[in-house]
């Protein structure tokens, strides 16, 4: 069945600092079978001042396919605002003509653009579509110990090098692991969540997607599959960054 319209709001902390940033994750229907998933995170207060009020915005426009029972990503946008610098990557999946295209801009000046073929029968997933497809059962049941590999949206891993040269290195897979009881227990002890119930999802994403060094993102789901927390490990300059659920807004 099509996904429900939902919004999750989070307080973000890192090191010894609490509520230094705010984050929002939501999915909404924008037309009959079209959905838009968005995630935004921005620093605030003193930390915001120190980090030039950094803001990251991600958006995935998707079409729900009833025969496939999954969301199919059509367009993906990533915007990073760092002071006066705005870096934007926009990509589009044209499945009819089997073509993926992208354009990268810096303060609205085009730095790179291109396209490449999409193999017949391939459906790309971005991080947002993969998350909502997982929760909606498109990849099968959420069972401990499962390992799911999906074809990744081709993110440019280092679109801006120090010399200003575009480096076209693409990640090709998302590996989604639903932690076993043993692994989950270890992580719950490590992150102080031993009294909670639910599931731990570990997602391997391109290392610079969130500015992290390791590539792993941890998502804690409760028994109703609500994402109650997420941890991006080893983010450059910030260490582990944790978002704790503050409010759930569901459209009635």
């Amino acid at each position: 069945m099509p996904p429900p319209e939902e919004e999750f709001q989070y307080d973000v902390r890192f090191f010894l600092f609490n509520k230094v940033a705010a984050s929002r994750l939501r999915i909404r229907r924008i037309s009959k079978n079209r959905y838009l998933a968005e995630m935004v995170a921005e620093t605030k207060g003193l930390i915001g001042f120190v980090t030039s009020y950094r803001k990251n915005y991600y958006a995935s426009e998707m079409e729900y396919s009833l025969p496939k029972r999954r969301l199919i990503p059509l367009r993906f946008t990533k915007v990073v605002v760092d002071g006066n610098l705005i870096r934007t990557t926009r990509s589009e999946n044209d499945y009819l003509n089997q073509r993926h295209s992208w354009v990268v801009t810096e303060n609205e000046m085009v730095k790179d653009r291109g396209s490449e073929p999409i193999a017949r029968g391939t459906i790309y997933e971005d991080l947002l579509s993969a998350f909502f497809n997982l929760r909606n059962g498109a990849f099968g049941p959420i069972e401990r110990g499962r390992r799911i590999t999906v074809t990744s949206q081709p993110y440019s891993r280092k679109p801006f090098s120090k010399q200003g040269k575009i480096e076209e290195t693409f990640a090709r897979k998302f590996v989604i692991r639903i932690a076993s009881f043993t692994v989950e227990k270890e992580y719950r002890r490590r992150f102080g969540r031993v009294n909670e119930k639910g599931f731990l999802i570990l997602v391997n994403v391109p290392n610079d997607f969130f500015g992290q060094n390791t590539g792993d993102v941890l998502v804690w789901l409760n028994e109703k599959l609500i994402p109650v927390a997420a941890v991006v490990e080893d983010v450059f300059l910030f260490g582990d960054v944790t978002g704790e659920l503050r409010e759930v807004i569901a459209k009635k």
Side-chain angles (χ1 to χ4, degrees):
M1 60 183 297
E5 296 182 270
E6 299 173 293
E7 180 174 328
F8 310 100
Q9 297 183 0
Y10 299 85
D11 290 321
V12 179
R13 70 173 188 270
F14 52 83
F15 293 138
L16 300 177
F17 303 102
N18 292 316
K19 298 183 179 180
V20 294
S23 181
R24 182 181 73 244
L25 171 65
R26 71 174 179 177
I27 183 171
R28 57 192 173 95
R29 190 167 70 174
I30 56 177
S31 65
K32 183 178 180 181
N33 290 318
R34 290 288 181 97
Y35 288 79
L36 181 66
E38 298 170 289
M39 181 168 59
V40 61
E42 54 187 321
T43 55
K44 58 185 180 180
L46 178 61
I47 296 297
F49 176 78
V50 172
T51 59
S52 300
Y53 295 100
R54 184 181 176 93
K55 179 178 180 179
N56 285 33
Y57 172 80
Y58 310 88
S60 177
E61 184 177 340
M62 305 164 290
E63 183 175 63
Y64 183 75
S65 170
L66 185 58
K68 292 182 173 60
R69 297 184 179 182
R70 68 187 287 182
L71 292 161
I72 299 178
L74 303 177
R75 298 180 183 88
F76 185 81
T77 302
K78 175 183 176 181
V79 182
V80 177
V81 180
D82 190 359
N84 295 322
L85 182 62
I86 303 175
R87 298 171 177 170
T88 304
T89 302
R90 293 187 176 91
S91 58
E92 184 167 348
N93 302 319
D94 183 349
Y95 295 106
L96 181 62
N97 296 303
Q98 295 176 250
R99 204 74 190 168
H100 170 81
S101 58
W102 70 89
V103 58
V104 181
T105 63
E106 187 177 81
N107 288 350
E108 299 186 357
M109 295 182 61
V110 175
K111 294 294 183 177
D112 183 43
R113 67 166 71 244
S115 66
E116 63 176 30
I118 300 175
R120 186 174 298 278
T122 296
I123 297 176
Y124 284 144
E125 293 285 352
D126 56 64
L127 184 63
L128 296 176
S129 69
F131 173 74
F132 285 106
N133 272 327
L134 176 70
R135 287 183 69 237
N136 208 40
F139 303 145
I142 294 181
E143 297 176 341
R144 288 181 172 83
R146 283 195 65 202
R147 181 186 177 96
I148 303 164
T149 302
V150 296
T151 304
S152 170
Q153 175 83 25
Y155 301 107
S156 178
R157 296 182 64 184
K158 294 184 178 180
F160 299 92
S161 67
K162 292 181 180 180
Q163 294 77 26
K165 180 181 178 182
I166 305 299
E167 299 183 16
E168 297 178 4
T169 304
F170 297 98
R172 292 299 181 187
K173 297 292 181 182
F174 270 131
V175 178
I176 303 170
R177 291 169 289 154
I178 304 172
S180 65
F181 274 116
T182 302
V183 172
E184 181 184 322
K185 183 178 180 180
E186 178 184 340
Y187 274 93
R188 286 194 183 280
R189 184 169 55 248
R190 174 181 169 188
F191 287 97
R193 314 188 78 93
V194 294
N195 295 322
E196 298 179 8
K197 295 181 179 180
F199 299 89
L200 170 62
I201 311 298
L202 300 101
V203 187
N204 185 263
V205 299
N207 284 2
D208 73 338
F209 192 84
F210 293 114
Q212 79 277 21
N213 294 317
T214 61
D216 274 340
V217 174
L218 286 63
V219 180
W220 300 94
L221 302 178
N222 66 14
E223 293 177 298
K224 296 182 179 180
L225 304 186
I226 299 296
V228 296
V231 180
V232 184
E233 293 188 286
D234 197 19
V235 176
F236 180 64
L237 296 180
F238 298 106
D240 292 349
V241 176
T242 301
E244 292 283 353
L245 184 65
R246 181 178 70 248
E247 185 178 6
V248 178
I249 302 174
K251 184 174 180 179
K252 297 180 180 180

